[in-house]
Amino acid sequence: LIQNWRPKSGDTPPPRWLPDLDGSVVVGYSGALATWFDYDLLLYLARARPAWQFVLIGVDYDGSLPASGVLENDNVHWLGMQPYPDLFAYTWRFDVGIIPFLVNAITLATSPIKMFEYMACRLPVVSTALPECRRYPGVLVAENHLQFLENLETALSARLDPGYLETIE
């Protein structure tokens, strides 16, 4: 199985709200969903890689999620808000952690805590071109949708590379 490469938090079963992902590649996001989230990017990724599963965890802060159309894709799963102590049980099951934010006045001033949470779980991180994310050499930063997809492919290979894992630790 794809998930076997990373340490688990003991022998705990997957959280009950996690869908059966059948050993698929799991691209995950945890955090608020709002107008700063690049829904068009997620639509592009979900359609480009229909065999991958995209898991979103977090509150729909402003009602923008349903209107985005991303939930119409069978490979996009929104698990809603989860208790903070339970987040790592989900995150350990991601293959890559993503930060798909639009680059705008709000996100230019953002220091996404989720980047550090992903790295603490030894997850490769792929982000849009946020200045704060550029400061960390292990974060794969994308300027456009195609580069984001290419960076996801790179991240899937890098997750097994001890040198890369050392970079994000």
Side-chain angles (χ1 to χ4, degrees):
L1 283 175
I2 280 176
Q3 276 32 16
N4 287 343
W5 65 271
R6 91 170 64 75
K8 299 281 190 207
S9 52
D11 292 324
T12 59
R16 66 185 178 125
W17 297 113
L18 190 67
D20 181 5
L21 302 175
D22 295 326
S24 300
V25 167
V26 179
V27 177
Y29 170 82
S30 66
L33 296 149
T35 55
W36 59 75
F37 189 95
D38 192 341
Y39 294 111
D40 289 340
L41 171 59
L42 184 59
L43 277 169
Y44 170 82
L45 298 171
R47 291 175 179 159
R49 293 296 179 270
W52 293 3
Q53 304 301 312
F54 296 85
V55 174
L56 308 173
I57 300 170
V59 65
D60 180 13
Y61 183 74
D62 59 7
S64 60
L65 177 62
S68 72
V70 298
L71 298 177
E72 296 171 16
N73 293 275
D74 290 339
N75 62 335
V76 177
H77 312 276
W78 177 46
L79 308 184
M81 187 71 172
Q82 298 299 317
Y84 191 79
D86 297 344
L87 280 182
F88 289 101
Y90 290 95
T91 306
W92 279 114
R93 287 161 173 87
F94 295 170
D95 293 298
V96 179
I98 59 171
I99 305 171
F101 289 172
L102 295 168
V103 178
N104 59 32
I106 293 171
T107 61
L108 285 173
T110 297
S111 178
I113 300 298
K114 66 187 73 354
M115 174 178 61
F116 302 108
E117 293 170 343
Y118 296 155
M119 289 190 292
C121 290
R122 300 184 68 174
L123 284 179
V125 180
V126 179
S127 176
T128 51
L130 302 178
E132 183 67 13
C133 292
R134 291 183 187 279
R135 296 182 53 218
Y136 298 88
V139 177
L140 302 169
V141 176
E143 300 290 336
N144 56 53
H145 292 184
L146 178 59
Q147 189 177 26
F148 201 100
L149 179 61
E150 291 169 348
N151 284 352
L152 283 173
E153 299 277 359
T154 299
L156 288 170
S157 297
R159 69 185 179 177
L160 300 173
D161 179 357
Y164 173 77
L165 294 175
E166 188 174 298
T167 302
I168 63 172
E169 288 181 337

